[in-house]
């Protein structure tokens, strides 16, 4: 859920719309290349299904067109979407502030007493912020530090492996498309399925322990050990998401013109020097985008780890979004104010990261 | 009756005025061509007539009714676009029927009209193809067919031939002209190509920078251009222009900037002694002869077999083109003398650019 | 064999493999193993009986003990191979087990009862798929209900999203109206507000609208996604305006231009968006977890999560259900891999 809003709408990746020459070219080829099959079959059937509906909508729309004129009709086309955005994106932001500054366990705003910055002071009240045990909301700080550690490890390992994979795939490889899709496959799996797959692999009598027993190393009950559970959470999250970043990095690598490499070969540069002095600098803008994107997603990690360990053992794998979920929705009493305050803090971090991303994007476009 | 009347028509985009008050009246059944260099506002003017572009000032009347506030769809016009703008996802038949479906024409009638138009334009074997499977010329026919099938009062063409190769363009020119003869509709045709304008039009409107330079029959424009711009724009190759000053004492003598003296006709032009003027002569009216009034240094010669062009410049450096039928013995580097009959010259006021011809 | 090997190890242009090529292929095949083996293992395990699942160390393929129907006995009897003692080498059917002894019978001569020590026999097993794991889902578990919930949410949310987003994208790409830039900025603004940080107020709005514990409570907020507006607007900008003008001259209303011209011409982009939306909604977890608290409203993802949390995890059913949840996405992946890849790469979102 976390990422469905696709913060990276302007990630520097190939356009799905193909290279289209302006003007007439598209008009005449629009139907030619892409999902011709999809369309050819879908056209007739889809048209038959939606045509009656569309004809009915046309009657009021035609009236509106008469009244408003063509250009003001645009607002009518925008209305449904703006309504959705307003209700489910902008209004919540405002309400979030109201919740964060009120207390109690009532969901209705009218029944909630204002407590000013009470929720924030409660969250931030610590003798030593580095030691959760000295904090009033020790669970919050555990979640914060877990998230910080998790994001650092996960992003580092994931971007590293994504880069390695992308570079390998960018070489002279047979069946590149096959390998690329292999790494991409887990990206499509639902977080719960990912969690279950690995839970099944790692359980006490699971296949990994069987292998380790056979190899003489000896099995281990991985998920009851706090550190191993955390490590496997990082692994699982890397496993599930690295294909996506590999894809973006591969696109970035393939955008580097081949003749630059040929020139380097003529200059007798060693492969290592080519990598250090040509590939990495030219890939830097893409790397930045990938890093920021991974950070944004990493901070919002919840689903797969929650289904995998439930946040445990203890609070070893409880992250910040799970904290919000549990305070606001799973626990009793339901501390909506505390959850909202915590989510505002997360939002602050995300806004900063998003602004960095937009800035990086603009820079890479200009440069 | 579908006459078209433009009265003080203006258009501005923000603070930029692109059409600066145009008055024009096109009679029913006339084939009118808007011609001018790119950026002259001819396409904008056409789109204002069509209703696709708002009118900032003045009014447009079609068949006597002011249509300023009537949307494009209800003006009873049809338009052929530069890019053809065929619906790429529809077959040719669907492209032709779309407009008729929109006005709820009965199915059988649509079918018969489409067939009839397809036959007329010889696109009947293509009816089940999509635009991308057609050649440029075929697309052009479909685009015309889409306009014809709706039986509009007025046809608008926006540079319809500019995407075709030269040979096809000549063919299609003839077809559009014959279409006009057959349908006898009012047609407005926009082009930047003066040859198209000359060959097809009943009336030509020459536009420049949002203003109407001259409006009239093709040969009137050719023989009697109102100003330097029209003189230079209509006719190919371009008219030669030579600048000079009318003699202070004798208004039939003109001192060229290069020092030579020409003789001007005493009647027909209202030049004033001492006035700065520009003399215009079409290349085919210039003759190389021993008693020519002007010397021309030859820069290059094009021998086409049936005709020949000599390019050079006068003593003052003005470029001169001489066109003569047949082949010529003049060669590169020669200095020749050229002259023109008095009746074939044009005279313009150098400052205003307007013709000095007495009307 | 030699030629196959040559073929496999040849690279474009070069005839011999460099050590880096070896390293690359080793890495890639390890990747294939790491990415696919867990899924393969899941699928194989889902065909094992509960008893087979308990076996440690596990076998790769699902096995079941062979049974035989013996004359005079109603139930099929399990078969064992005798490994030691008097009847060594014979294959006998077990009638019952008493302590360390088993009463057995030779299927060929069912009259005579034989006694064998259980340490002297091994079960006769054979490869067999426990398809009852799947058929049970339809009977004992409300799998079809969850499947329907998931499907309904996915389809409705995708349709609503496609409709509203394409309408907005049309307005933003093909009309010149005052406030267009403001609206575009507004849409960019929504990109900065992930759902995870507005859970509490969103919950209030949804319950105020009476959509708590209703599938619509998941569908409607899910449709408010700005990614599609950008994706579609970008594509629609490439449709020439002259086509719209032509349609206007053809007396088409603006709404007709939208659905007869713009929608069909944007089909490639819409297809990409549809695939993405289907994936997002099908895999959704956190928001449904908050809105849907009654088990009859559960989506597949919620059902999977809640089953694995139960004390007696019945792995055989759980694994089968996981496979069925994964199946639609795997199918989509196989057929539309290319579109998904480009789509995801261009929106940058999962």
């Amino acid at each position: 859920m976390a990422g469905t809003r696709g913060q990276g709408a302007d990630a520097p990746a190939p356009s799905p719309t193909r290279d289209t020459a302006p003007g007439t070219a598209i008009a005449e080829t629009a139907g030619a290349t892409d999902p011709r099959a999809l369309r050819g079959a879908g056209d007739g059937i889809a048209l038959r299904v939606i045509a009656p509906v569309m004809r009915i909508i046309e009657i009021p729309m035609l009236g509106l067109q008469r009244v408003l004129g063509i250009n003001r009709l645009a607002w009518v086309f925008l209305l449904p979407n703006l309504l959705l955005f307003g209700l489910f994106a902008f209004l919540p932001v405002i309400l979030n502030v109201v919740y964060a500054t009120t207390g109690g366990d009532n969901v209705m705003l009218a029944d909630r007493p204002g407590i000013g910055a009470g929720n924030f002071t409660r969250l931030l009240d610590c003798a030593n912020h580095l030691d959760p045990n000295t904090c009033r909301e020790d669970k919050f700080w555990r979640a914060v530090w877990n998230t910080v550690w998790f994001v650092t490890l996960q992003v580092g390992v994931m971007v590293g492996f994504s880069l390695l994979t992308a570079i390998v795939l960018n070489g002279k490889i047979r069946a590149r498309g096959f390998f690329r899709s292999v790494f991409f496959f887990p990206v499509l799996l639902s977080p719960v399925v990912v969690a279950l797959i690995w839970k099944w692999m790692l359980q006490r009598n699971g296949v990994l322990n069987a292998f380790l027993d056979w190899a003489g190393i000896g099995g281990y009950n991985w998920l009851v050990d706090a550190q191993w559970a955390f490590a496997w959470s990082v692994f699982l999250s890397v496993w599930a998401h690295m294909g996506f970043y590999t894809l973006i990095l591969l696109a970035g690598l393939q955008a580097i013109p081949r003749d630059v490499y040929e020139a380097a070969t003529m200059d007798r540069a060693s492969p290592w020097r080519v990598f250090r002095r040509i590939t990495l600098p030219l890939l830097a803008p893409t790397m930045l985008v990938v890093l920021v994107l991974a950070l944004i997603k990493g901070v919002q990690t919840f689903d797969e780890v929650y289904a995998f360990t439930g946040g445990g053992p203890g609070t070893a794998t409880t992250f910040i979004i799970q904290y919000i979920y549990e305070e606001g929705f799973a626990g009793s009493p339901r501390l909506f104010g505390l959850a909202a305050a915590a989510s505002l803090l997360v939002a602050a971090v995300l806004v900063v990261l998003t602004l960095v991303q937009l800035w990086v994007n603009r820079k890479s476009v200009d440069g | 009756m579908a006459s078209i009347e433009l009265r003080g028509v203006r258009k501005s985009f923000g603070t930029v005025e692109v059409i600066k008050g145009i008055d024009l009246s096109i009679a029913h059944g006339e084939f009118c061509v808007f011609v001018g260099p790119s950026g002259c506002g001819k396409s904008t003017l056409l789109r204002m007539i069509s209703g696709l572009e708002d009118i900032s000032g003045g009014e447009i009347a079609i068949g006597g009714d002011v249509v300023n506030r009537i949307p494009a769809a209800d003006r009873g016009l049809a338009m052929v676009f530069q890019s053809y703008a065929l619906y790429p996802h529809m077959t040719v038949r669907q492209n032709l029927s779309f407009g008729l479906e929109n006005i709820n024409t009965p199915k059988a009638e649509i079918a018969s009209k489409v067939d009839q138009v397809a036959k007329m334009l010889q696109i009947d074997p293509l009816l089940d193809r999509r635009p991308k499977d057609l050649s440029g010329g075929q697309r052009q026919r479909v685009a015309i067919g889409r306009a014809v099938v709706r039986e509009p009062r007025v046809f608008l063409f926006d540079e319809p031939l500019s995407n075709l190769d030269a040979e096809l363009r000549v063919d299609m020119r003839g077809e559009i002209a014959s279409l006009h003869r057959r349908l006898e509709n009012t047609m407005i045709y926009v082009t930047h190509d003066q040859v198209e304008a000359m060959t097809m039009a009943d009336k030509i409107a020459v536009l420049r920078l949002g203003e109407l330079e001259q409006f009239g029959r093709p040969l009137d424009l050719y023989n009697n251009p109102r100003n330097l711009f029209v003189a230079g724009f209509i006719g190919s190759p371009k008219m030669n222009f030579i600048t000079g000053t009318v003699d202070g004492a004798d208004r039939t003598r003109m001192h060229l900037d290069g020092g030579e003296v020409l003789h001007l006709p005493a009647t027909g032009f209202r030049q004033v002694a001492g006035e700065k003027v520009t003399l215009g002569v079409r290349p085919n009216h210039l003759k190389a002869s021993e008693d020519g009034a002007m010397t021309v240094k030859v820069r290059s010669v094009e021998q086409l077999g049936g005709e020949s062009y000599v390019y050079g410049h006068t003593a003052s450096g003005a470029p001169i083109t001489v066109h003569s039928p047949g082949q010529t013995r003049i060669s590169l580097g020669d200095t020749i003398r050229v002259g023109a009959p008095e009746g074939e010259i044009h005279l313009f006021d150098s400052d205003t650019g307007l013709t000095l011809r007495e009307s | 064999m030699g030629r196959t090997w040559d073929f496999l190890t040849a690279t474009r242009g070069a005839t011999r493999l460099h050590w880096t090529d070896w390293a690359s292929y080793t890495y890639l095949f390890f990747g294939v193993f790491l990415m696919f083996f867990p899924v393969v293992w899941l699928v194989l395990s889902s065909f094992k009986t509960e008893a087979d699942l308990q076996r440690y160390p596990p076998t790769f393929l699902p096995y079941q003990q062979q049974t035989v129907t013996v004359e005079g006995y109603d139930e099929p009897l399990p078969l064992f191979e005798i490994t030691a003692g008097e009847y060594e080498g014979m294959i006998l059917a077990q009638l019952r087990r008493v302590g360390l002894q088993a009463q057995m019978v030779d299927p060929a001569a069912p009259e005579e009862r034989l006694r064998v020590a259980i340490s002297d026999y091994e079960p006769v097993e054979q490869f067999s798929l426990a398809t009852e794991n799947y058929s049970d889902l339809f009977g004992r578990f409300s799998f079809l209900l969850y499947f329907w919930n998931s499907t309904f949410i996915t389809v409705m949310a995708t349709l609503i999203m496609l409709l509203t987003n394409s309408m907005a994208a049309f307005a933003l790409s093909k009309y010149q109206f005052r406030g267009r830039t403001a609206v575009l900025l507004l849409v960019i603004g929504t990109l900065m507000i992930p759902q995870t940080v507005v859970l509490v107020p969103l919950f209030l709005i949804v319950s105020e609208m009476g959509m708590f514990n209703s599938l619509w409570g998941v569908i409607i907020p899910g449709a408010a996604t700005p990614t599609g507006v950008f994706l579609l607007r970008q594509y629609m900008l490439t449709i020439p305006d002259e086509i719209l003008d032509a349609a206007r001259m053809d007396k088409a209303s603006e709404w007709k231009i939208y659905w007869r011209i713009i929608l069909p011409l944007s089909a490639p982009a819409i297809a990409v968006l549809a695939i993405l939306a289907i994936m997002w909604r099908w895999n959704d977890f956190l928001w449904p977890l908050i809105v849907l608290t009654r088990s009859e409203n559960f989506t597949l993802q919620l059902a999977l999560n809640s089953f694995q949390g139960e004390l007696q995890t019945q792995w055989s059913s759980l694994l089968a259900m996981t496979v069925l949840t994964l199946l639609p996405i795997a199918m989509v992946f196989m057929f539309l891999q290319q579109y998904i890849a480009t789509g995801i790469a261009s929106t940058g979102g999962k």
Side-chain angles (χ1 to χ4, degrees):
Chain A
M1 180 123 236
T4 55
R5 285 168 193 280
Q7 289 86 344
D10 3 41
S15 151
T17 60
R18 312 182 313 277
D19 297 326
T20 41
T24 57
I26 165 128
E28 282 136 21
T29 54
T33 31
D34 272 24
R36 193 77 170 81
L38 270 181
R39 176 115 65 85
D43 222 20
I45 305 161
L47 201 64
R48 216 153 292 163
V49 175
I50 63 170
V53 183
M54 294 296 187
R55 286 218 182 87
I56 291 168
I57 304 178
E58 183 163 9
I59 299 164
M61 287 299 281
L62 198 60
L64 283 170
Q65 185 180 336
R66 292 259 153 77
V67 176
L68 296 174
I70 285 179
N71 276 335
R72 261 175 300 178
L73 194 70
W75 288 104
V76 179
F77 278 103
L78 280 171
L79 188 70
N81 217 344
L82 289 186
L83 215 64
L84 280 179
F85 284 176
L87 259 171
F88 299 108
F90 289 108
L91 184 60
V93 175
I94 301 161
L95 292 182
N96 219 12
V97 179
V98 181
Y99 270 109
T101 52
T102 53
D105 60 352
N106 279 310
V107 74
M108 298 312 302
L109 292 172
D111 306 333
R112 298 177 59 83
I115 54 166
N119 285 318
F120 290 99
T121 45
R122 180 170 165 192
L123 282 177
L124 300 174
D125 182 15
C126 273
N128 174 8
H129 285 95
L130 294 176
D131 180 6
N133 290 324
T134 66
C135 296
R136 204 163 131 211
E137 271 299 313
D138 60 322
K139 201 177 158 201
F140 173 73
W141 284 99
R142 265 182 245 285
V144 167
W145 287 114
N146 280 343
T147 310
V148 169
W149 270 111
F150 177 82
V151 168
T152 316
L153 285 171
Q154 189 241 17
V155 171
V157 173
M158 182 166 67
V159 174
F161 273 102
S162 297
L163 182 61
L164 177 62
T165 314
I167 287 169
V168 170
L169 284 176
N170 196 39
K172 284 183 188 147
I173 295 293
R174 280 179 171 275
R176 179 187 295 138
F178 166 75
F179 286 115
R180 191 183 60 180
S181 50
V182 163
F183 282 92
F184 187 71
F185 175 65
V187 175
L188 304 179
L189 298 180
S190 90
V192 183
V193 167
V194 168
L196 280 174
I197 287 175
W198 283 99
K199 224 174 155 174
W200 177 239
M201 295 277 294
L202 296 172
Q203 59 144 337
R204 183 66 192 86
N205 289 336
V207 67
L208 179 69
N209 281 339
F211 171 77
L212 292 177
D213 276 342
W214 172 81
I217 302 169
Y220 192 74
N221 205 351
W222 304 103
L223 296 185
V224 298
D225 180 304
Q227 271 166 5
W228 275 113
F230 190 86
W232 280 113
S233 300
V234 173
F235 169 83
L236 166 130
S237 159
V238 170
W239 184 83
H241 301 302
M242 70 172 277
F244 167 59
Y245 299 97
T246 305
L247 206 71
I248 295 186
L249 286 171
L250 185 60
L253 282 175
Q254 291 183 335
I256 300 175
R258 203 147 277 281
D259 49 9
V260 175
Y261 286 107
E262 284 161 2
T265 316
M266 297 306 285
D267 285 342
R268 304 184 58 119
S270 70
W272 176 245
R273 262 180 78 78
V274 169
F275 176 72
R276 280 285 311 279
R277 303 296 298 275
I278 294 176
T279 308
L280 274 191
L282 288 178
L283 196 63
T286 317
M287 275 297 276
L288 261 173
V289 170
V290 162
L291 268 176
V292 179
L293 260 183
L295 282 172
I296 292 176
K297 298 273 166 64
V299 171
Q300 299 180 58
T301 302
F302 168 74
D303 317 29
E304 67 254 27
V305 177
Y306 180 72
F308 183 53
T309 63
T315 53
T317 54
T318 302
F319 300 133
I320 188 74
I321 299 295
Q322 188 180 343
Y323 172 80
I324 294 171
Y325 166 72
E326 285 180 349
E327 289 306 312
F329 303 99
S332 165
R334 305 172 104 190
L335 299 173
F336 292 116
L338 213 54
S343 65
L344 277 179
L345 295 178
V346 176
V349 174
L350 290 181
V351 166
V352 170
L353 285 175
T354 311
L355 288 178
V356 170
Q357 187 211 353
L358 290 176
W359 175 74
V360 166
N361 266 344
R362 174 165 308 170
K363 230 182 85 174
S364 64
V365 168
D366 291 347
Chain B
M1 291 296 282
S3 60
I4 296 175
E5 198 85 35
L6 273 62
R7 288 187 283 268
V9 171
R10 290 173 184 281
K11 173 76 188 176
S12 11
F13 292 111
T15 55
V16 188
E17 195 167 49
V18 291
I19 301 287
K20 297 165 182 163
I22 287 184
D23 296 280
L24 199 65
S25 106
I26 302 163
H28 174 76
E30 245 174 12
F31 194 114
C32 174
V33 174
F34 292 175
V35 68
S38 58
C40 70
K42 55 191 189 297
S43 281
T44 310
L45 192 61
L46 188 78
R47 290 170 60 83
M48 286 162 79
I49 296 173
S50 75
L52 293 171
E53 207 78 68
D54 293 336
I55 300 163
S56 308
E59 54 187 28
I60 295 177
I62 301 175
D65 307 317
V66 175
V67 294
N68 282 29
R69 309 206 57 82
I70 296 179
D74 303 331
R75 292 191 185 183
L77 316 173
M79 188 154 165
V80 177
F81 293 86
Q82 182 173 11
S83 66
Y84 317 139
L86 299 179
Y87 311 122
H89 56 302
M90 299 186 188
T91 63
V92 170
R93 186 190 298 281
Q94 287 167 328
N95 263 287
L96 295 182
S97 347
F98 187 68
L100 292 173
E101 281 168 23
N102 290 338
I103 50 174
N104 297 320
T105 314
K107 277 212 165 71
E109 198 181 329
I110 294 180
S112 77
K113 277 188 179 173
V114 168
D115 284 337
Q116 188 190 333
V117 168
K119 224 166 246 130
M120 181 175 99
L121 291 166
Q122 296 155 22
I123 48 174
D124 39 328
L126 313 173
L127 279 175
D128 293 315
R129 297 214 203 151
R130 302 228 172 170
K132 68 173 172 56
D133 302 321
L134 304 179
S135 70
Q138 289 168 333
R139 282 177 202 172
Q140 177 67 71
R141 282 166 203 272
V142 176
I144 293 174
R146 187 172 62 178
V148 171
V149 77
R150 281 190 26 230
E151 299 168 3
R153 296 193 288 171
V154 178
F155 283 96
L156 309 176
F157 294 89
D158 188 4
E159 307 214 20
L161 304 184
S162 55
N163 287 337
L164 298 178
D165 59 49
E167 203 175 322
L168 215 52
R169 208 179 300 176
V170 174
D171 290 349
M172 286 308 295
R173 220 152 68 190
E175 287 204 32
I176 293 177
S178 74
L179 187 75
H180 177 237
R181 281 195 297 276
R182 190 165 4 169
L183 299 176
E184 296 177 334
N185 274 39
T186 313
M187 292 188 177
I188 303 179
Y189 186 105
V190 164
T191 180
H192 60 269
D193 180 355
Q194 58 92 22
V195 177
E196 270 176 34
M198 292 298 286
T199 50
M200 300 169 79
D202 292 328
K203 287 269 188 70
I204 295 180
V206 182
L207 294 163
R208 182 174 63 145
L209 300 173
E211 280 176 290
L212 182 63
E213 297 286 324
Q214 193 169 1
F215 181 55
R217 287 205 298 276
L219 284 182
D220 289 347
L221 265 60
Y222 183 86
N223 294 331
N224 202 354
R226 206 167 69 87
N227 58 27
L228 276 172
F229 176 76
V230 176
F233 193 79
I234 300 288
S236 172
K238 269 184 69 163
M239 187 185 277
N240 297 302
F241 293 119
I242 303 127
T243 52
T245 317
V246 181
D247 188 275
D250 180 357
R251 58 183 283 278
T252 62
R253 284 165 64 85
M254 175 183 173
H255 297 276
L256 300 189
D257 290 351
E260 285 163 309
V261 176
L262 290 187
H263 182 72
L264 295 179
T267 58
F269 296 103
R270 44 187 155 69
Q271 75 272 32
V272 183
E275 189 185 17
K276 281 189 169 310
V277 292
T278 303
L279 180 101
V281 193
R282 296 207 181 269
N284 45 327
H285 295 144
L286 275 181
K287 294 260 176 335
S289 64
E290 288 303 314
D291 54 352
M294 231 169 20
T295 49
V296 170
K297 179 99 175 134
V298 176
R299 241 179 334 105
S300 73
V301 178
E302 284 177 358
Q303 298 269 20
L304 301 179
E307 53 185 340
S308 47
Y309 292 92
V310 174
Y311 301 98
H313 49 79
T314 63
S316 65
I320 294 290
T321 309
V322 180
H323 171 243
S324 51
Q327 301 169 4
T328 180
R329 274 181 314 211
I330 300 168
S331 59
L332 188 67
D334 289 356
T335 302
I336 55 169
R337 296 192 71 80
V338 296
E342 256 182 24
E344 303 293 359
I345 67 163
H346 303 265
L347 204 58
F348 303 92
D349 182 326
S350 287
D351 297 325
T352 61
L354 292 174
T355 183
L356 293 171
R357 190 180 294 273
E358 282 167 348
S359 48
Chain C
M1 191 64 206
R3 289 190 53 190
T4 327
W5 183 247
D6 286 346
F7 173 75
L8 283 173
T9 55
T11 55
R12 265 174 279 161
T15 43
R16 292 287 302 277
L17 280 176
H18 192 250
W19 70 266
T20 51
D21 295 318
W22 284 107
S24 296
Y25 281 107
T26 312
Y27 178 81
L28 288 177
F29 279 106
F30 178 69
V32 172
F33 173 77
L34 199 64
M35 295 293 158
F36 273 166
F37 176 73
V39 180
V40 172
W41 182 246
L42 171 83
V43 174
L44 286 172
S45 301
S46 76
F47 284 104
K48 291 179 174 178
T49 58
E50 194 65 37
D52 200 12
L53 286 172
Q54 299 301 330
R55 187 204 313 248
Y56 186 83
T59 53
F60 185 66
L61 293 174
Y63 287 100
Q64 273 178 42
Q65 188 162 18
Q66 241 177 312
T67 54
V68 67
T69 321
V70 181
E71 227 174 289
Y73 301 95
D74 299 336
E75 300 274 309
L77 302 173
L79 281 176
F80 289 85
E81 185 177 2
I82 312 301
T83 53
E86 194 182 341
Y87 309 106
E88 187 173 341
M90 289 179 75
I91 291 177
L92 303 178
Q94 176 179 275
L95 295 177
R96 70 179 70 84
R97 211 179 115 181
V98 186
L100 296 175
Q101 296 284 321
Q103 273 194 7
M104 312 206 64
V105 69
D106 187 345
E111 296 79 22
E112 188 188 359
R113 295 193 175 185
L114 313 168
R115 292 174 70 83
V116 179
I118 62 164
S119 55
D120 289 347
Y121 69 44
E122 269 177 5
V124 177
E125 289 179 324
Q126 124 194 91
F127 171 77
S128 154
L129 299 175
T131 46
E132 67 269 20
N133 290 347
Y134 288 88
S135 48
D136 273 5
L137 285 181
F138 297 93
R140 287 200 293 148
F141 302 89
S142 323
F143 175 80
L144 279 180
L145 179 66
Y146 306 136
F147 187 84
W148 163 250
N149 288 343
S150 271
T151 311
F152 184 74
I153 288 175
T154 305
V155 170
M156 291 313 284
T158 304
L159 284 182
I160 293 175
M161 181 178 150
L162 288 181
L163 183 72
T164 57
N165 281 6
S166 64
M167 280 168 67
F170 174 48
L172 289 173
S173 62
K174 290 295 169 206
Y175 290 104
Q176 310 287 333
F177 59 94
R178 282 158 55 108
R180 192 172 72 154
T181 323
V183 173
L184 262 173
L185 284 176
L186 213 71
V187 178
I188 292 179
T190 37
L191 280 174
M192 313 236 299
I193 318 167
Q195 217 167 22
T196 38
V197 300
V198 290
L199 292 173
V200 176
L202 206 53
F203 178 72
L204 168 76
I205 293 167
V206 165
S207 33
E208 271 299 278
M209 294 174 79
M211 297 191 296
F212 178 62
N213 252 326
S214 141
L215 297 186
W216 291 102
V218 178
I219 293 170
I220 308 262
T225 305
T227 318
V229 180
F230 281 105
L231 192 83
L232 293 179
R233 173 172 181 266
Q234 210 64 17
Y235 194 87
M236 287 178 187
L237 283 174
T238 66
I239 297 175
D241 290 344
E242 277 202 345
I243 291 188
L244 273 72
D245 286 339
R248 285 187 188 122
M249 298 300 290
D250 267 346
K251 288 177 176 269
S253 72
E254 297 303 302
W255 180 256
K256 188 164 240 159
I257 290 175
Y258 162 72
W259 76 272
R260 285 294 303 275
I261 310 285
I262 293 290
L263 279 191
L265 287 184
S266 314
I270 289 180
V272 167
L273 183 64
I275 296 165
L276 291 182
I278 288 170
M279 264 174 39
W280 290 334
R281 296 288 85 82
W282 184 264
N283 290 345
D284 234 355
F285 181 66
L286 176 56
W287 185 243
L289 184 67
I290 290 172
V291 177
L292 307 175
T293 57
R294 283 210 300 269
S295 72
E296 70 261 29
N297 287 331
F298 276 4
T299 62
L300 273 177
Q301 313 293 343
L302 293 183
L304 274 180
N305 185 57
S306 84
F307 284 171
Q308 65 130 350
E310 283 168 13
L311 277 179
Q312 286 289 315
T313 307
Q314 208 177 0
W315 277 104
S316 56
S317 306
L318 190 58
L319 293 175
M321 200 150 154
T322 311
V323 171
L324 287 183
T325 310
L326 178 157
L327 208 60
I329 295 290
M331 302 288 255
V332 168
F333 175 73
M334 281 204 290
F335 294 115
L336 303 170
Q337 198 252 117
Q338 198 54 47
Y339 300 119
I340 301 171
T342 49
I344 287 193
S346 62
T347 57
K350 185 195 163 184

